[in-house]
Amino acid sequence: MSSASVILQLICPDRPALVSDIAGWVAANGGNIRHADHHTDAGAGLFLSRIEWDLQGFGLPREAIPVAVKALAERLGGDAQVHFSDDHPRVAILVSKQSHCLLDLLWRARSGELPMQVPLVISNHPDLEPYCADFGVPFVCVPVTTGKKAEAEATILELLDEHQVDLAVLAKYMQVLSGGFLERFSEVINIHHSFLPAFKGAQPYHRAWERGVKLIGATAHYVTEELDDGPIIEQTIATVSHRDEVEDLIRKGRDTERLALARALRLHLRRQVMVYRGRTAVFA
Amino acid sequence: MSSASVILQLICPDRPALVSDIAGWVAANGGNIRHADHHTDAGAGLFLSRIEWDLQGFGLPREAIPVAVKALAERLGGDAQVHFSDDHPRVAILVSKQSHCLLDLLWRARSGELPMQVPLVISNHPDLEPYCADFGVPFVCVPVTTGKKAEAEATILELLDEHQVDLAVLAKYMQVLSGGFLERFSEVINIHHSFLPAFKGAQPYHRAWERGVKLIGATAHYVTEELDDGPIIEQTIATVSHRDEVEDLIRKGRDTERLALARALRLHLRRQVMVYRGRTAVFA
Amino acid sequence: MSSASVILQLICPDRPALVSDIAGWVAANGGNIRHADHHTDAGAGLFLSRIEWDLQGFGLPREAIPVAVKALAERLGGDAQVHFSDDHPRVAILVSKQSHCLLDLLWRARSGELPMQVPLVISNHPDLEPYCADFGVPFVCVPVTTGKKAEAEATILELLDEHQVDLAVLAKYMQVLSGGFLERFSEVINIHHSFLPAFKGAQPYHRAWERGVKLIGATAHYVTEELDDGPIIEQTIATVSHRDEVEDLIRKGRDTERLALARALRLHLRRQVMVYRGRTAVFA
Amino acid sequence: MSSASVILQLICPDRPALVSDIAGWVAANGGNIRHADHHTDAGAGLFLSRIEWDLQGFGLPREAIPVAVKALAERLGGDAQVHFSDDHPRVAILVSKQSHCLLDLLWRARSGELPMQVPLVISNHPDLEPYCADFGVPFVCVPVTTGKKAEAEATILELLDEHQVDLAVLAKYMQVLSGGFLERFSEVINIHHSFLPAFKGAQPYHRAWERGVKLIGATAHYVTEELDDGPIIEQTIATVSHRDEVEDLIRKGRDTERLALARALRLHLRRQVMVYRGRTAVFA
């Protein structure tokens, strides 16, 4: 619909005139800014900036932009990432037996709502293969058997490498990834079926029912080594009542899970999320 | 607006024909049912019923109803409570320094939205006395000083007794009531400024900010000896973003707190809440 | 999961002892009530009741229940419907080119979340045939060309008749059904992409954008001859801002549309919806 | 808590390098930017910018800033407004008989949540005088009798002038202001008790009940001559069911009304709202 844009994400120590400095750099190179968002974390003395401008007409050729941005970041003593909106990341979806998030993501990818490629789906169970076949997406089953988790993770890492995957999405993948895995592949988004930090860990709906809560939630977050403790991108909720049994919580939860995950993934893919201090700034 | 009604709340072991049995008892006495709600907790084999019927025209005189209801409950092997909608409970509001919930409750009581009397407000600080004066409600300051908490609680218990208080509402009363207090006065509703069970205990907004959540919440619940663990009546939420500092969470939280507390209190006062197995059925 | 139940929906003039009368009738026949919900429309002097009880152990054989219920309704001067929870209605889904609601409904039907059969999907465009093929559901294209709408409707009516369809769901079927059609087939649920009664008719998202609203909505309703004016079953909303273009409203709207439609359909299929005076009672 | 800031709101024709140009102007004068938000309305070719920077340390003295900003706006061919965060506007609150919004606003003003002064409250009825007395705010009753509306409006205009009022808030003022009034005093925010554009005009809750909606709403908007058609600032909703009578809609509506109005007013007072093309950009 719209032509390609350049997206700069920059974090650096806060100091005066940063907005002017960065916007001036874009303008000096002939860039026409579409969106510019900034955030200052006063407590940490950090400045975060996300600027998006038209690639067409920009003074620097595409291949030269990353180097130029790196120089800019160095001058400001910070870190920067640059992305192009027409580069659609390669996303692997990891699942177990539940289909709701997988089907939702495949449909959103096909419809163009999620700007990504899906080179493969990985599962520890064979159940969801037919959904992948319907969408023409390769499906690989990597069983996780007792005592063989390390081998399974090694296989997954090889698959991610082989398919040049940029991001792994745990779409109800009911396995915890080890710290060793995350050291080798750290770009992972998970959907947890509770309103974190409530009900970390296993069986959150059962525990939510036991506790008698009146709202249940879902949390999409980046995965870190500590379980369910990574930076939160999006949270959604659904109302429940005493009439709802655990299976009703699970059913209602599916809707809130797939919504939280889809929104979070779209924000990530459009480079609207920046991570700092274990939390996220979401420029929506 | 509407004439008085009788409200029966009954919990008994589940068995066939209970709805017919109870509704038949009401009908046999000439009662015209306005609302009838039931819930079966299959796991516990419990049947919960709330039936409301017109007092006018009912075959039993008002003063005879509690005894008749007791006999009904005994016949069913359960427990029953009976209330009359024109009996407005005497509610003591306990506060500290924050005014938002107090003012909201006083206004809702005056407007008739909350069917209750407020014989007194108790606080451990003198700050909110002027609000009570505006509404013509007696205010008693019971300071809680280090090492003297037991004495303060004893004073409060005397006040509750003296004013024939039916229910105490902790409207941002920043003190934990002891188990001993609750043994002597157990009808207490609290508003906790988090989405329980997340952020139990002190400073939930600070911890929510630290965790980087995208939604904050408030929970109105009955108070039990274990802190923030009593049966939940109502939960509300508000959205937050990285732009919100702790003080913004506190500000947004005030709106969600007073709404959750007012809703829970109205449900309680209209006898729409039943407690069982550490949870609530809310017949709304 | 649970065994079959009998669901009675009854509307009759209000008078005393109706709850007892109806529950007594169920009990007298040995029925074990699972759910009992009632509503009195005081203004219209109407009593609505929905009672659900176990089929197993009930004193009347399944085939005798409708006749017995008819007699009950006549005695009370009202109308009654009886359904069995293991009778899964035959639902035709009508679509045009948009896939989001269709895919969602097919998936929910397969997962068992929507207790229905889908004997066919009808569309005025061929685009969505592949989705139906994936789910093994017959797809029939009935084009609607200028001046030939009556013929198309006649064809659709034949299809509904031939496939013994109980309910038609307009899942983004961008055609208005004529009064003549509805006279011959009246059981129709539609999803309208606005928060009715705002933005009746065509292009609601464009008009919502023009008006600068901050919330958009979706409305699932029974179809009546007057456009977008039938009894509302469910409404959902999504927040929007000045940053959202019309295409963003459309994208966000898809999520709220499919949720409203799926919820409404589930409520209908579980016989939790009763229509009276142009509105619905939803016993959820 | 925080020191004063300068807030610039600028609308001008879109062209390249505007962000850099404006941020550069701030930086060139030594301004330390706290917040910078921009929006491009591509359809209209308009650029909107809101920039907030520290007053302390800025190179231009406070009294020189408006002139300098005017020159900047002229250079860019646009319009600009400049405000100082420590200038608390003088806001008149207009009410009739309902107290919920008035009390809420007075409390929020006192608590500092709404950065404003309230020099007077105007009402066409005497009922709410005691609330104003409690908060020490002057109350003036200007009755509106049949055929004397023009006189009442003239009196109100005099009062607004005499008290140097910057903004009038219609907090359930059940009178329509004439076009003539708005020509002479145009800075007016209203709370309408429906989800606009649904149920414009009188008795929205009665009409919402008639229509059988499942959600009700409230809309805070700037007032224009066409009734209920001004730019929308904020909308909130509440769920309703068939159990809710009109009086329940009114009760639930009060909570959503006061929340929408308070949020909108805070956004306005913090200069986070910009009006263009009959709509608003809300930089929240």
Side-chain angles (χ1 to χ4, degrees):
Chain A
M1 188 147 308
S2 54
S3 57
S5 59
V6 188
I7 302 162
L8 168 68
Q9 292 182 318
L10 185 141
I11 301 184
C12 66
D14 193 27
R15 65 163 177 75
L18 278 169
V19 175
S20 166
D21 200 332
I22 301 168
W25 178 86
V26 176
N29 286 291
N32 186 31
I33 291 179
R34 284 190 200 169
H35 299 288
D37 288 285
H38 318 287
H39 178 60
T40 305
D41 183 322
L46 283 176
F47 175 81
L48 288 78
S49 182
R50 180 197 184 276
I51 302 192
E52 184 169 356
W53 65 90
D54 294 334
L55 177 58
Q56 196 171 16
F58 192 56
L60 297 174
R62 184 173 185 138
E63 58 278 11
I65 296 175
V67 177
V69 159
K70 190 155 176 267
L72 172 71
E74 279 172 7
R75 180 162 64 77
L76 300 175
D79 291 309
Q81 285 193 311
V82 67
H83 298 280
F84 299 94
S85 67
D86 58 356
D87 270 348
H88 290 192
R90 297 173 65 81
V91 178
I93 304 175
L94 277 73
V95 296
S96 289
K97 291 182 174 179
Q98 297 180 60
S99 59
H100 58 288
C101 287
L102 173 65
L103 181 61
D104 189 61
L105 296 181
L106 291 177
W107 172 78
R108 290 184 201 263
R110 177 188 281 177
S111 74
E113 193 175 310
L114 291 176
M116 66 182 188
Q117 309 169 64
V118 184
L120 87 163
V121 169
I122 299 170
S123 180
N124 54 334
H125 294 287
D127 309 51
L128 302 183
E129 199 280 334
Y131 284 105
C132 296
D134 288 346
F135 280 80
V137 172
F139 175 91
V140 182
C141 185
V142 182
V144 180
T145 50
T146 317
K148 302 273 187 176
K149 184 166 169 178
E151 286 176 34
E153 287 198 344
T155 305
I156 294 170
L157 284 166
E158 276 167 38
L159 285 165
L160 299 180
D161 187 54
E162 180 190 331
H163 289 84
Q164 302 172 54
V165 167
D166 299 301
L167 173 75
V169 173
L170 310 186
K172 306 295 289 177
Y173 181 63
M174 309 308 277
Q175 297 287 327
V176 177
L177 297 177
S178 70
F181 183 101
L182 294 169
E183 268 173 38
R184 291 183 52 196
F185 190 93
S186 62
E187 206 73 342
V188 185
I189 289 176
N190 182 46
I191 179 71
H192 183 75
H193 40 314
S194 86
F195 187 90
L196 287 176
F199 307 120
K200 283 187 191 188
Q203 295 215 298
Y205 291 130
H206 290 76
R207 289 149 64 208
W209 188 89
E210 279 298 326
R211 181 62 187 90
V213 298
K214 301 301 182 190
L215 295 171
I216 54 170
T219 305
H221 63 95
Y222 290 108
V223 175
T224 55
E225 191 167 350
E226 185 154 351
L227 186 65
D228 299 331
D229 211 37
I232 294 171
I233 308 170
E234 174 78 9
Q235 296 189 293
T236 55
I237 58 107
T239 57
V240 296
S241 83
H242 62 279
R243 293 178 193 270
D244 290 306
E245 299 297 328
V246 171
E247 67 192 40
D248 297 302
L249 269 57
I250 291 171
R251 171 179 52 80
K252 290 183 168 183
R254 285 195 293 261
D255 283 337
T256 189
E257 289 167 22
R258 68 180 192 179
L259 204 54
L261 181 56
R263 284 184 189 159
L265 188 50
R266 183 174 152 94
L267 290 166
H268 174 89
L269 292 167
R270 294 166 59 92
R271 312 299 176 180
Q272 294 176 279
V273 188
M274 295 181 69
V275 175
Y276 66 110
R277 299 178 81 197
R279 41 200 292 126
T280 63
V282 177
F283 295 118
Chain B
M1 190 148 309
S2 54
S3 58
S5 59
V6 187
I7 302 162
L8 168 67
Q9 291 182 319
L10 185 142
I11 301 185
C12 66
D14 193 27
R15 65 164 177 75
L18 278 169
V19 175
S20 166
D21 200 331
I22 302 169
W25 179 87
V26 176
N29 287 291
N32 186 31
I33 291 179
R34 284 190 200 170
H35 300 289
D37 288 285
H38 318 286
H39 178 61
T40 305
D41 183 321
L46 284 176
F47 175 81
L48 289 78
S49 182
R50 180 198 184 275
I51 302 194
E52 184 170 356
W53 65 89
D54 294 334
L55 177 59
Q56 196 170 16
F58 192 55
L60 297 173
R62 183 174 185 138
E63 57 279 10
I65 296 175
V67 176
V69 159
K70 190 156 176 266
L72 171 70
E74 279 172 7
R75 180 162 65 77
L76 301 174
D79 292 309
Q81 286 194 312
V82 66
H83 298 280
F84 300 94
S85 68
D86 58 356
D87 271 349
H88 289 193
R90 297 174 64 82
V91 178
I93 304 175
L94 276 72
V95 296
S96 288
K97 292 182 173 179
Q98 296 180 60
S99 60
H100 58 288
C101 286
L102 172 65
L103 181 61
D104 190 59
L105 296 182
L106 292 177
W107 172 78
R108 290 184 201 263
R110 175 187 283 177
S111 74
E113 193 176 310
L114 290 176
M116 67 181 188
Q117 309 170 64
V118 184
L120 87 162
V121 169
I122 300 170
S123 179
N124 54 333
H125 294 287
D127 309 49
L128 301 184
E129 199 279 334
Y131 283 105
C132 295
D134 288 346
F135 280 80
V137 172
F139 175 91
V140 182
C141 186
V142 182
V144 180
T145 50
T146 319
K148 303 272 186 175
K149 184 165 168 177
E151 286 176 32
E153 287 198 343
T155 305
I156 294 171
L157 283 167
E158 276 168 37
L159 285 166
L160 298 180
D161 187 55
E162 179 191 333
H163 289 83
Q164 302 172 56
V165 168
D166 299 301
L167 174 75
V169 173
L170 310 186
K172 306 295 289 178
Y173 180 62
M174 309 309 276
Q175 297 287 326
V176 177
L177 296 178
S178 70
F181 182 102
L182 294 169
E183 269 173 38
R184 291 183 53 196
F185 191 93
S186 62
E187 206 74 342
V188 184
I189 290 176
N190 181 47
I191 179 71
H192 183 74
H193 40 314
S194 87
F195 188 90
L196 288 176
F199 308 120
K200 283 186 192 186
Q203 295 214 299
Y205 290 129
H206 290 76
R207 288 148 64 209
W209 188 90
E210 279 297 327
R211 182 61 187 88
V213 299
K214 301 301 182 189
L215 295 171
I216 56 170
T219 305
H221 62 95
Y222 291 109
V223 174
T224 55
E225 190 168 351
E226 185 154 351
L227 186 65
D228 298 332
D229 211 37
I232 293 171
I233 308 169
E234 174 79 9
Q235 296 189 292
T236 56
I237 57 108
T239 57
V240 296
S241 82
H242 62 278
R243 294 179 193 270
D244 290 307
E245 299 297 329
V246 171
E247 67 192 41
D248 297 303
L249 269 56
I250 291 171
R251 172 178 52 79
K252 290 182 168 185
R254 284 195 294 259
D255 283 337
T256 189
E257 288 166 23
R258 67 180 193 180
L259 204 54
L261 181 56
R263 284 184 189 161
L265 188 49
R266 181 174 154 94
L267 290 166
H268 173 90
L269 293 168
R270 294 166 60 92
R271 313 298 177 179
Q272 296 176 279
V273 188
M274 295 181 70
V275 175
Y276 66 111
R277 299 177 80 195
R279 39 200 291 125
T280 63
V282 177
F283 295 118
Chain C
M1 189 146 310
S2 54
S3 58
S5 59
V6 188
I7 302 163
L8 167 68
Q9 291 182 318
L10 185 142
I11 301 185
C12 66
D14 192 27
R15 65 163 176 75
L18 279 169
V19 175
S20 166
D21 200 332
I22 303 169
W25 178 87
V26 176
N29 287 292
N32 187 30
I33 291 179
R34 283 189 201 170
H35 299 289
D37 287 285
H38 319 285
H39 178 60
T40 305
D41 183 321
L46 284 176
F47 175 80
L48 289 79
S49 183
R50 180 197 184 276
I51 302 193
E52 184 170 356
W53 66 89
D54 293 334
L55 177 58
Q56 196 171 15
F58 193 54
L60 298 173
R62 182 172 185 140
E63 57 279 10
I65 295 174
V67 176
V69 159
K70 188 155 179 267
L72 172 71
E74 279 172 6
R75 180 162 65 77
L76 300 175
D79 292 308
Q81 286 193 311
V82 67
H83 298 280
F84 300 95
S85 67
D86 58 356
D87 270 349
H88 289 191
R90 297 174 64 82
V91 178
I93 304 174
L94 277 73
V95 296
S96 288
K97 292 182 173 180
Q98 296 180 60
S99 59
H100 57 289
C101 286
L102 173 65
L103 182 61
D104 190 60
L105 296 181
L106 292 178
W107 172 79
R108 290 184 200 263
R110 175 187 283 176
S111 74
E113 193 175 310
L114 290 176
M116 67 182 189
Q117 307 169 65
V118 184
L120 86 162
V121 168
I122 299 171
S123 180
N124 56 333
H125 294 287
D127 310 50
L128 302 184
E129 200 280 334
Y131 283 105
C132 296
D134 289 346
F135 280 80
V137 172
F139 175 92
V140 182
C141 186
V142 182
V144 181
T145 50
T146 317
K148 302 272 186 174
K149 183 165 169 179
E151 286 177 33
E153 288 198 343
T155 305
I156 294 170
L157 284 167
E158 277 167 38
L159 286 165
L160 298 180
D161 187 54
E162 178 190 333
H163 288 82
Q164 303 172 55
V165 167
D166 299 301
L167 173 75
V169 173
L170 310 186
K172 306 296 289 178
Y173 181 62
M174 309 308 278
Q175 298 286 326
V176 177
L177 296 177
S178 70
F181 182 101
L182 294 169
E183 269 173 39
R184 290 183 53 198
F185 190 94
S186 62
E187 205 75 339
V188 185
I189 290 176
N190 182 46
I191 179 71
H192 183 75
H193 40 315
S194 86
F195 188 90
L196 286 176
F199 308 120
K200 282 187 192 187
Q203 296 213 299
Y205 291 129
H206 290 77
R207 288 149 63 210
W209 188 90
E210 278 298 327
R211 182 60 186 90
V213 299
K214 301 301 182 189
L215 295 171
I216 55 170
T219 305
H221 63 95
Y222 291 108
V223 174
T224 55
E225 190 167 352
E226 185 155 351
L227 186 64
D228 299 332
D229 211 38
I232 294 170
I233 308 169
E234 174 78 10
Q235 297 190 293
T236 55
I237 58 106
T239 57
V240 297
S241 83
H242 63 278
R243 293 179 192 271
D244 290 307
E245 299 297 329
V246 171
E247 67 192 41
D248 296 303
L249 269 57
I250 291 171
R251 171 178 52 80
K252 290 183 168 185
R254 285 195 294 259
D255 283 336
T256 190
E257 288 167 22
R258 68 180 191 178
L259 204 54
L261 181 56
R263 284 184 187 161
L265 188 49
R266 183 175 152 93
L267 290 166
H268 173 90
L269 293 168
R270 293 166 60 92
R271 312 300 177 180
Q272 295 177 280
V273 188
M274 295 181 70
V275 175
Y276 66 110
R277 300 178 77 195
R279 40 199 291 126
T280 63
V282 177
F283 295 117
Chain D
M1 190 149 307
S2 55
S3 58
S5 60
V6 188
I7 302 162
L8 167 69
Q9 291 182 317
L10 185 141
I11 301 185
C12 66
D14 193 27
R15 66 162 176 73
L18 278 169
V19 176
S20 166
D21 200 332
I22 302 168
W25 179 86
V26 176
N29 286 291
N32 186 31
I33 291 179
R34 284 188 200 172
H35 300 288
D37 288 285
H38 318 287
H39 178 61
T40 305
D41 183 322
L46 283 177
F47 176 81
L48 289 78
S49 182
R50 179 197 183 276
I51 301 192
E52 183 170 356
W53 65 89
D54 294 334
L55 177 57
Q56 197 171 15
F58 192 54
L60 297 174
R62 184 173 185 139
E63 59 277 11
I65 296 175
V67 177
V69 159
K70 188 154 178 266
L72 171 71
E74 277 172 7
R75 180 161 64 76
L76 300 174
D79 291 308
Q81 285 194 311
V82 66
H83 298 280
F84 300 93
S85 67
D86 58 356
D87 270 349
H88 290 191
R90 298 174 64 82
V91 177
I93 304 175
L94 276 72
V95 296
S96 289
K97 291 181 174 181
Q98 296 179 61
S99 59
H100 58 290
C101 286
L102 173 64
L103 181 61
D104 189 61
L105 296 182
L106 292 177
W107 172 77
R108 289 184 201 263
R110 177 187 283 178
S111 75
E113 193 175 311
L114 290 176
M116 66 182 189
Q117 307 170 66
V118 184
L120 87 163
V121 168
I122 299 170
S123 180
N124 55 334
H125 294 287
D127 309 50
L128 301 183
E129 199 279 334
Y131 283 105
C132 296
D134 288 346
F135 280 81
V137 171
F139 175 91
V140 182
C141 186
V142 182
V144 180
T145 51
T146 317
K148 303 272 186 173
K149 184 165 168 178
E151 287 177 31
E153 287 198 343
T155 304
I156 294 170
L157 284 167
E158 276 168 38
L159 285 165
L160 299 180
D161 187 54
E162 178 190 334
H163 289 82
Q164 301 173 55
V165 167
D166 299 301
L167 173 75
V169 173
L170 310 187
K172 306 295 289 177
Y173 181 64
M174 309 309 277
Q175 297 286 327
V176 177
L177 296 177
S178 70
F181 182 102
L182 294 169
E183 269 173 39
R184 291 183 51 197
F185 191 93
S186 62
E187 205 75 339
V188 185
I189 289 177
N190 182 45
I191 179 70
H192 182 75
H193 41 314
S194 86
F195 189 89
L196 287 176
F199 307 120
K200 282 187 192 187
Q203 296 214 298
Y205 290 129
H206 290 77
R207 288 148 65 208
W209 188 90
E210 279 298 326
R211 182 61 187 90
V213 298
K214 300 300 182 189
L215 295 171
I216 55 170
T219 305
H221 63 95
Y222 291 108
V223 175
T224 55
E225 189 166 352
E226 186 155 351
L227 186 64
D228 299 331
D229 212 37
I232 294 171
I233 308 170
E234 174 78 9
Q235 297 189 293
T236 56
I237 57 107
T239 57
V240 296
S241 83
H242 62 278
R243 293 179 192 270
D244 290 307
E245 300 296 329
V246 171
E247 68 192 42
D248 297 302
L249 269 56
I250 291 172
R251 171 178 53 81
K252 290 182 168 184
R254 284 195 294 260
D255 283 337
T256 190
E257 289 166 21
R258 68 180 191 178
L259 204 54
L261 181 56
R263 284 184 188 160
L265 188 50
R266 183 175 152 93
L267 290 165
H268 173 90
L269 292 168
R270 293 166 60 91
R271 313 298 177 182
Q272 294 176 281
V273 188
M274 295 182 69
V275 175
Y276 66 110
R277 299 178 79 196
R279 38 199 292 125
T280 63
V282 177
F283 295 118

